C-alpha cells in the first residue's frame, strides 16, 4: 500500500510539472498585413434612410483606435459606433438631410488588433433620398516627371473647412463623382517620405477652390514650393525719370516699394510702376542731387 501511494504521488508530480512547463508558441512571422474594407451594408451609394451602416474589414479591428479615426459629412452628431471584431456598425440617431450624399471617411488612424493601420484613407459614399449629382474632373501635371505614377493624397473640404472626403489618386487625370453641388476647397500632395503629412520643402502640392456643378473641370498642377526669396540683381537708369529693376527670378506681385535717400529721410515719388516677370519698370519724379 505504501508503494502504491508513493507511485501516485510521483505520477501527480509529473503531471503538475508538465502542466506548469506548458508555454505558448514563440517566434514565427510578425503580422504586418494592413486591414482593408471588404464590404458595406448598404453598398456604396445605397440609401441609409434606415439609419444603419455596417462596414466589414479584412481583419479584426482595434476599438481603442476608433477616436478621431472616422469623419462624417454632412456632420452627424447623434450617432453610436460599435465594433465587433471585423464589423463596424454605425447607428444614426438624427434625421438625415433629404436628397443628399453622405460621406463616411476612414482615416489611417484606424488600426487592427495587431497595430497595423488601415491600408489607405478612404471615403465611403452613401445617399439619403435621390441627390443631384455633381462631379469634378481634370488633368494632372507634374513639375518633375519622376513623380508621375506616385499616389496623390487628395482631401476635399467644404467652404467652411470641414473635411468632406479623402481619396488616393494617381496618373494623368482624375475624377470625383457623386458630389453634392456646393463650393469646396481641394488640396493634394504626394507623400514622398511616407510620414503621413505634407512637407513643404520636399513634396509637390496643389490647392484650389471651386464650385461643383453637374460637370466641373479643375486641372491639378503638382508643383514644389519655391522657398527662396527674390533678390534685387540690377538697377539701371535709362533716363532721369526711368529706372529698370532686374530681380533674381520672376515674381507675381509685391506689397510695398519705395525709393529713398541714403539717409532714409527723403523718398523719391514713384509716378508709375509696371511689373513683367523679373523686370520692374519705374517712372519717377525728377531726382535731385542726393544719392538714392
Amino acid at each position: 500500500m505504501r508503494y502504491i501511494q508513493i507511485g501516485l504521488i510521483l505520477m501527480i508530480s509529473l503531471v503538475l510539472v508538465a502542466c506548469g512547463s506548458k508555454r505558448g508558441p514563440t517566434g514565427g512571422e510578425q503580422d504586418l498585413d494592413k486591414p482593408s474594407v471588404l464590404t458595406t451594408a448598404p453598398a456604396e451609394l445605397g440609401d441609409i434612410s434606415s439609419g444603419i451602416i455596417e462596414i466589414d474589414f479584412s481583419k479584426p479591428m482595434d476599438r481603442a483606435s476608433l477616436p478621431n479615426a472616422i469623419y462624417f459629412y454632412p456632420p452627424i452628431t447623434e450617432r453610436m459606433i460599435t465594433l465587433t471584431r471585423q464589423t463596424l456598425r454605425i447607428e444614426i440617431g438624427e434625421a438625415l438631410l433629404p436628397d443628399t450624399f453622405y460621406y463616411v471617411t476612414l482615416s489611417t488612424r484606424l488600426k487592427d488588433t495587431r497595430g497595423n493601420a488601415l491600408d489607405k484613407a478612404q471615403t465611403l459614399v452613401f445617399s439619403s433620398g435621390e441627390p443631384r449629382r455633381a462631379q469634378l474632373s481634370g488633368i494632372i501635371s507634374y513639375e518633375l516627371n519622376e513623380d508621375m505614377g506616385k499616389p496623390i493624397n487628395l482631401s476635399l473640404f467644404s467652404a467652411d473647412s470641414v473635411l468632406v472626403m479623402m481619396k488616393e489618386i494617381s496618373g494623368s487625370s482624375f475624377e470625383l463623382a457623386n458630389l453634392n453641388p456646393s463650393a469646396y476647397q481641394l488640396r493634394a500632395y504626394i507623400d514622398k517620405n511616407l510620414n503621413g503629412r505634407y512637407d513643404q520643402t520636399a513634396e509637390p502640392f496643389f490647392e484650389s477652390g471651386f464650385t461643383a456643378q453637374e460637370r466641373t473641370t479643375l486641372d491639378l498642377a503638382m508643383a514644389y514650393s519655391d522657398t527662396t526669396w527674390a533678390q534685387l540683381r540690377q538697377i539701371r537708369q535709362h533716363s532721369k525719370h526711368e529706372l529698370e529693376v532686374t530681380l533674381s527670378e520672376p515674381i507675381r506681385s509685391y506689397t510695398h516699394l519705395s525709393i529713398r535717400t541714403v539717409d532714409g529721410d527723403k523718398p523719391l515719388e514713384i509716378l508709375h510702376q509696371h511689373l513683367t516677370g523679373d523686370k520692374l519698370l519705374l517712372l519717377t519724379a525728377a531726382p535731385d542731387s542726393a544719392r538714392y
Side-chain angles (χ1 to χ4, degrees):
M1 186 69 178
R2 182 180 180 86
Y3 296 109
I4 294 174
Q5 289 176 342
I6 293 174
L8 288 173
I9 291 170
L10 287 173
M11 288 178 64
I12 293 171
S13 298
L14 289 172
V15 171
L16 290 175
V17 169
C19 291
S21 64
K22 185 177 181 180
R23 297 181 180 179
T26 59
E29 294 184 6
Q30 185 179 358
D31 182 1
L32 299 176
D33 291 338
K34 293 179 178 293
S36 59
V37 174
L38 294 180
T39 60
T40 67
E44 278 208 75
L45 302 181
D47 194 334
I48 55 172
S49 57
S50 66
I52 303 295
I53 302 173
E54 290 189 342
I55 303 170
D56 290 326
F57 298 92
S58 60
K59 301 175 67 179
M61 306 300 287
D62 182 11
R63 288 190 187 90
S65 69
L66 285 177
N68 301 316
I70 305 174
Y71 304 90
F72 299 88
Y73 191 85
I76 300 174
T77 55
E78 297 295 327
R79 63 181 189 263
M80 184 171 68
I81 301 175
T82 56
L83 180 61
T84 305
R85 290 186 59 77
Q86 296 175 222
T87 301
L88 180 75
R89 180 181 174 89
I90 302 166
E91 299 182 39
I92 302 171
E94 63 185 57
L96 299 174
L97 298 174
D99 301 328
T100 301
F101 285 117
Y102 273 81
Y103 308 91
V104 180
T105 296
L106 307 175
S107 77
T108 52
R109 293 190 184 95
L110 192 60
K111 298 180 180 180
D112 66 18
T113 54
R114 298 286 186 172
N116 299 304
L118 193 65
D119 61 342
K120 61 183 177 181
Q122 58 194 285
T123 298
L124 307 171
V125 186
F126 303 95
S127 66
S128 167
E130 297 183 2
R132 287 178 51 208
R133 295 174 185 269
Q135 74 171 43
L136 176 72
S137 61
I139 303 300
I140 306 174
S141 61
Y142 301 84
E143 182 175 341
L144 299 180
N145 290 334
E146 66 187 45
D147 293 333
M148 171 74 80
K150 288 185 171 66
I152 299 173
N153 295 317
L154 184 149
S155 298
L156 188 66
F157 297 87
S158 65
D160 53 355
S161 300
V162 178
L163 179 66
V164 177
M165 71 161 55
M166 300 175 74
K167 186 179 178 69
E168 188 177 281
I169 62 175
S170 64
S172 59
S173 64
F174 77 101
E175 179 180 279
L176 299 180
N178 306 308
L179 298 177
N180 292 309
S182 184
Y184 296 97
Q185 190 75 14
L186 182 146
R187 297 173 193 162
Y189 76 98
I190 297 177
D191 188 11
K192 298 184 74 170
N193 57 14
L194 303 179
N195 65 354
R197 65 175 184 271
Y198 168 58
D199 294 308
Q200 182 179 6
T201 60
E203 296 170 342
F205 179 83
F206 175 85
E207 181 172 10
S208 180
F210 69 96
T211 299
Q213 304 293 344
E214 184 176 350
R215 291 185 179 276
T216 307
T217 300
L218 177 66
D219 293 337
L220 273 61
M222 303 304 299
Y224 290 81
S225 175
D226 185 355
T227 58
T228 61
W229 292 89
Q231 305 292 324
L232 290 175
R233 180 161 288 174
Q234 184 183 52
I235 299 177
R236 297 177 61 188
Q237 188 173 24
H238 292 297
S239 70
K240 192 173 183 179
H241 300 277
E242 293 178 280
L243 294 175
E244 180 184 283
V245 180
T246 302
L247 303 165
S248 60
E249 61 181 298
I251 64 172
R252 289 184 183 177
S253 63
Y254 51 92
T255 57
H256 177 72
L257 173 67
S258 65
I259 303 174
R260 310 184 73 85
T261 58
V262 172
D263 58 19
D265 290 336
K266 187 178 179 181
L268 178 62
E269 184 181 3
I270 300 173
L271 303 177
H272 180 72
Q273 46 198 294
H274 179 71
L275 174 66
T276 304
D278 62 348
K279 294 286 191 286
L280 178 61
L281 302 177
L282 303 175
L283 180 64
T284 72
D288 55 24
S289 59
R291 294 179 61 198
Y292 293 87

